[in-house]
Amino acid sequence: METIYHAQGTRGKADFGWLKSRHSFSFGSYFDPNRIQFGKLRVLNDDIVLGGKGFPPHPHENMEIVSIPLYGSLEHKDSEGNHSVIRPGEVQIMSAGTGIVHSEFNASPSEEVNFLQIWILPERTGIVPRYEQKRFDPSQRHGRFQTVVSPNSEDGAVWINQKVSFSLAIGKRTSKIDYIPKNENGGVYFFLISGSAEIDGKKISARDGLGLLSSPKIEVSFSEDSEILAIDTPL
């Protein structure tokens, strides 16, 4: 697999009034045969939902679904009896397994919520549905990558049913951070949440995506204050 670059303006999009969504990979009515998945990463949606609006109950099965709020708050309910609100600094994962029905609504009646919803193809299908939510200290990602999703429960991250890890980092202008890949012969998909950076000689801007083959070390340099997500996956 070669390096892939997804400029923010080339993402698929949907606008339903109450929902504005940008798709880094094929999703819904957006289809690009060259953007089906990267390793086990199948969907990366950048959603903005108006106050009081949301997704009514709908089913999923055999998918690992991760939600990362960027601003605002998101209310979750599911058929397993889970009911919670997730906010910036928190990460939520839902293993759909044999089948689960859930809803997601903006928890505020007036303020927007912006969150990343990411789907990962599972390692094992047919597992019992599960839900986990955890708050992470953002100060622990200044100048380094903080693992927030991991197949290794000892990492202190939320657990995922796949050999995939998510890490977040905050970089200051002119600083550099090294990312050490976790999957030998795998790949890393970087999604720049804000700011601007250079990775492996490629300059990227906010909401760009860049997928690279794993190497012993990947240097990320920042040209302005930035936040970045790294998704480490088998290929």
Side-chain angles (χ1 to χ4, degrees):
M1 180 183 292
E2 298 179 353
T3 297
I4 61 169
Y5 169 60
H6 297 155
Q8 65 87 17
T10 65
R11 297 177 297 171
K13 59 183 176 181
D15 188 344
F16 298 101
W18 63 272
L19 166 69
K20 292 180 172 58
S21 184
R22 301 305 299 264
H23 314 314
S24 295
F25 297 91
S26 294
F27 183 84
S29 62
Y30 167 64
F31 177 75
D32 183 334
N34 297 312
R35 294 192 183 187
I36 302 297
Q37 65 192 78
F38 179 81
K40 303 302 180 182
L41 169 60
R42 175 61 189 87
V43 167
L44 198 167
N45 287 350
D46 184 358
D47 292 344
I48 296 175
V49 177
L50 293 181
K53 303 297 183 180
F55 303 90
H58 57 282
H60 292 284
E61 64 179 28
N62 291 322
M63 192 66 72
E64 300 291 298
I65 301 173
V66 177
S67 296
I68 303 176
L70 302 180
Y71 62 79
S73 55
L74 186 69
E75 183 179 19
H76 167 96
K77 293 181 181 179
D78 65 46
S79 54
E80 295 294 302
N82 299 298
H83 182 195
S84 63
V85 175
I86 56 172
R87 298 177 173 84
E90 297 179 313
V91 175
Q92 175 202 80
I93 188 164
M94 185 178 71
S95 297
T98 54
I100 195 168
V101 175
H102 79 137
S103 64
E104 297 163 295
F105 274 82
N106 189 334
S108 167
S110 57
E111 302 294 327
E112 291 181 344
V113 60
N114 179 205
F115 65 103
L116 302 179
Q117 185 163 102
I118 302 164
W119 294 9
I120 301 293
L121 298 168
E123 182 174 34
R124 291 179 293 115
T125 59
I127 70 169
V128 175
R130 62 180 295 276
Y131 175 89
E132 188 177 359
Q133 178 179 332
K134 187 171 183 177
R135 181 166 188 81
F136 296 88
D137 182 357
S139 70
Q140 298 302 306
R141 66 187 69 148
H142 285 274
R144 63 178 180 176
F145 280 94
Q146 177 190 48
T147 301
V148 296
V149 175
S150 172
N152 182 358
S153 58
E154 295 177 359
D155 285 342
V158 296
W159 181 83
I160 189 170
N161 172 31
Q162 183 53 267
K163 293 182 177 67
V164 168
S165 298
F166 289 40
S167 301
L168 288 162
I170 296 172
K172 290 292 187 182
R173 181 177 178 270
T174 73
S175 68
K176 296 180 180 180
I177 303 175
D178 289 334
Y179 180 81
I180 308 300
K182 303 177 187 297
N183 279 287
E184 186 177 358
N185 301 319
V188 184
Y189 189 87
F190 293 96
F191 183 77
L192 192 64
I193 296 170
S194 62
S196 57
E198 184 173 319
I199 306 174
D200 197 38
K202 178 68 177 179
K203 293 182 178 180
I204 62 173
S205 301
R207 270 26 186 216
D208 287 356
L210 182 69
L212 304 173
L213 294 174
S214 292
S215 61
K217 181 175 68 175
I218 300 173
E219 184 182 88
V220 182
S221 58
F222 301 98
S223 49
E224 59 182 299
D225 292 355
S226 306
E227 184 170 12
I228 193 166
L229 169 66
I231 300 175
D232 198 311
T233 174
L235 295 178

